[in-house]
Amino acid sequence: AQSVGSSTFILTCRRMQNDPGAIRSTDASSTLEVALENTRRGAEAICRGGGLFATTRLAAEIEALRRWAERSGRFCHFEELSRPPDAFGYEHEVWFPKTGSENPRVLKATYDNSFGVMPDGSEATPSGYLDRLRLQNQVFGDDIELEGIIEPSFALIRIITSQQAIQGRPAEIEEIEMFFSQHGFQRFVWRGKSAWFREVDRVICADTHGGNILVTHEGAMAAIDVPVMLAPADFKLAVA
């Protein structure tokens, strides 16, 4: 997630009405939770039913999310994606907003059927990716919104999200350590890598470098793209 000017996303969506099977919400802030629940529940049904998409959990979740997007009118076309991205990372292509809007937002698209990495180092499934974004909103007060899903070709999807554009510089190591310590986190080593753990809600954060944490012009710090997950049941803290 990066910072700059502003933009209004231009999109068109396919909508299908009368779908009592899908969990619905008119609140944009809850769309991540709705998509997450439908992906988990739908994947379980696909795995029980067998067939082409039941071969792996990843395939089942991709198909479940695709079906939910189709049912709920979340298949969208974004004009921004017709031009080259302004930036890219391991899991996203990024389009910066244009100058002039009162509410500038950054648009992000995952790569085809690729959803990044979880704090434990495992490849994220769609549900893991959506849950990570949900936790980022909850833990860090971010405002990531699920804008829609696109399907470049059969059985391939990309998740499209947006978040507020923030003006700032990459945080230094000392600033990052202070930021997490002040928020109740403790540094530890997990599977050979440094991460942060908070006992009160069992949240784990990783990949906490200056590219994912910014210091605004006013001196505030903002975590904009930090992988977050809840600690598994067998988790044991090993202090760094």
Side-chain angles (χ1 to χ4, degrees), residues 107-148:
L107 192 70
K108 294 182 177 181
T110 60
Y111 297 107
D112 293 355
N113 285 2
S114 180
F115 311 99
V117 176
M118 300 299 287
D120 63 1
S122 63
E123 292 290 325
T125 62
S127 69
Y129 177 75
L130 294 170
D131 197 33
R132 165 188 155 180
L133 300 184
R134 178 189 69 83
L135 285 169
Q136 187 172 328
N137 284 347
Q138 178 181 313
V139 174
F140 297 112
D142 211 332
D143 68 340
I144 299 170
E145 293 185 10
L146 176 62
E147 297 290 346

Side-chain angles (χ1 to χ4, degrees), residues 54 64 73 89 94 109 119 126 137 142 172 180 192 203 232:
V94 181
N137 284 347
D142 211 332
E172 301 291 341
F180 279 94
V203 167

Side-chain angles (χ1 to χ4, degrees), residues 55-171:
T55 53
T56 66
R57 179 70 187 192
L58 176 62
E61 288 196 9
I62 289 171
E63 177 61 10
L65 181 56
R66 189 201 67 78
R67 292 178 185 179
W68 170 78
E70 186 171 48
R71 292 195 305 265
S72 60
R74 287 284 168 176
F75 266 133
C76 300
H77 169 74
F78 292 85
E79 186 175 290
E80 285 83 353
L81 272 63
S82 63
R83 63 178 175 84
D86 298 308
F88 60 89
Y90 178 76
E91 62 198 29
H92 298 117
E93 289 183 321
V94 181
W95 287 263
F96 294 150
K98 299 176 183 178
T99 304
S101 169
E102 295 180 359
N103 183 32
R105 296 184 69 81
V106 173
L107 192 70
K108 294 182 177 181
T110 60
Y111 297 107
D112 293 355
N113 285 2
S114 180
F115 311 99
V117 176
M118 300 299 287
D120 63 1
S122 63
E123 292 290 325
T125 62
S127 69
Y129 177 75
L130 294 170
D131 197 33
R132 165 188 155 180
L133 300 184
R134 178 189 69 83
L135 285 169
Q136 187 172 328
N137 284 347
Q138 178 181 313
V139 174
F140 297 112
D142 211 332
D143 68 340
I144 299 170
E145 293 185 10
L146 176 62
E147 297 290 346
I149 306 295
I150 63 173
E151 188 177 26
S153 60
F154 175 72
L156 293 178
I157 66 169
R158 302 181 74 182
I159 299 176
I160 313 299
T161 59
S162 71
Q163 67 187 123
Q164 182 181 7
I166 297 175
Q167 297 278 358
R169 61 168 176 81

